[in-house]
Amino acid sequence: MAEEKKVLIVDDEPDILDLLKYNLEKEGYLVQTALDGIKGVEIAKQFIPDLILLDIMMPKQDGVETCRQLRDLSELSHTFIIFLTARVEEYSEVAAFETGADDYIAKPIKPRALMSRINALFRRKNSKQSENEKIEVGDLVIDRESYVVYQSGNELNLPKKEFELLYFLAQHSGKVFSREDLLHNIWGTDVYVLARTVDVHVRKVREKIGEGYISTIKGVGYKLEIN
Amino acid sequence: MAEEKKVLIVDDEPDILDLLKYNLEKEGYLVQTALDGIKGVEIAKQFIPDLILLDIMMPKQDGVETCRQLRDLSELSHTFIIFLTARVEEYSEVAAFETGADDYIAKPIKPRALMSRINALFRRKNSKQSENEKIEVGDLVIDRESYVVYQSGNELNLPKKEFELLYFLAQHSGKVFSREDLLHNIWGTDVYVLARTVDVHVRKVREKIGEGYISTIKGVGYKLEIN
DNA sequence: AAATGTGATTAACATTTAGTTTACCTTTAA
DNA sequence: TTAAAGGTAAACTAAATGTTAATCACATTT
């Protein structure tokens, strides 16, 4: 949940841009817009969006050609491209596919459907790597799939932040992290919370798993002991 | 992965044929196409595909009748048949079911979703164990065939969505799912419903099966406890 | 065709729980 | 021995979830 996803919208109709921008920002995305394909490519080079919404029918340079150019940029190799089409049939042209678009969305655009689809897109992308994330440290087994911590067979249920804290420390077992590092990694970069909040969570985790796991390095931070 | 899977597409629209063929071949499938049901059956006899994508609405001979003929061919007994329908409702007609189709996909076709579904289909087929439609979790027996849940002998009748929810959670017993995950897995990727709807269904299921089965992981989602 | 029933969804409100801050206490290292 | 850092409990705030009821869309009955 850490960073905001970046979305670039390229469409020649200001109304559409506004509509999409408004809805995407409401969902927490970082949005930039371009009124034609040429500007779109320019902005994409610097902005490096995670997703580009690209109108097919545009003056100056159409979406298909723009897409082709975008796909040639290596820095955009992990960027999704979704076409916006006035009619479904437009998309079925093979040409559109070959350019490497990932999906298309038919106009008129229904904001809710679009948002749900975009959210799903990112969820899928994120969940691909972490299949069965179980971590073992000493007599602890931290299972992300079931969100449970087992301690020599006993099941412990930690609230989200406590779980994430323990999970993170366990992932980097033995390494010390400052409170700021922990906040940055667990809470995210755009959350403003006092550093002492970490202390409170550490205490709660200790209360549940006992002493001897999380150790304090005074003046530095916390780490999880390796056993 | 040994052999390439064979797919036959039967549709009267050349655009759709091209679209599907292009995508399937990109995924490594061996593809043949037919422009109507009669030719489709002819080709199927020789080609013996692993999967047939069949448009329901076709001139000459519609998909339902074609499917019926295909199902009569013993050499195609292990072939999947998926209907392509313009509207979801078409499929719910009993006629389509009775012919023995395995699934349906609503138009307009979304290449990514379709590919992911087809890949999943073959993956499932290969790991053949999961044919048994009964799931037991604790004192619950969830029987998909009769659409009934037994709780220590008592018969519970859950409405569709509630049943599907319980069934899905039971299939992945112990694993936590976010509301969005549940929506996408149970409601489908192209249904746009508020996430809180899941809560209401969870409540109704709890009302019927009692507490102690579905547990809430705050900030994360729901899971079914393993007993 | 009208009336009724049912399930799905949404919206509104209540409740619970987690997360954060504050304040004060304890420990530790110079 | 005493600042500085960390521990701890409790108060407070913000979120998430639980729960009920209203609405809508369909199916079924009359």
Side-chain angles (χ1 to χ4, degrees), chain B residues 172-197:
Chain B
H172 311 278
S173 188
K175 187 173 170 184
V176 189
F177 292 92
S178 71
R179 284 151 233 272
E180 284 72 24
D181 286 340
L182 293 170
L183 284 176
H184 278 79
N185 282 292
I186 299 167
W187 274 254
T189 45
D190 44 6
V191 178
Y192 312 106
V193 170
L194 296 182
R196 290 303 305 277
T197 302

Side-chain angles (χ1 to χ4, degrees), chain A residues 18-28 111-112 115:
Chain A
D18 287 348
L19 171 69
L20 295 177
K21 188 167 196 257
Y22 170 79
N23 279 283
L24 284 162
E25 287 181 341
K26 209 170 62 178
E27 291 278 323
R112 213 166 109 189
M115 290 310 123

Side-chain angles (χ1 to χ4, degrees), chain B residues 200-217:
Chain B
V200 178
H201 282 94
V202 166
R203 202 207 131 256
K204 286 181 179 165
V205 174
R206 280 176 177 160
E207 196 168 70
K208 282 160 191 164
I209 65 172
E211 302 290 325
Y213 295 96
I214 300 176
S215 61
T216 307
I217 314 292

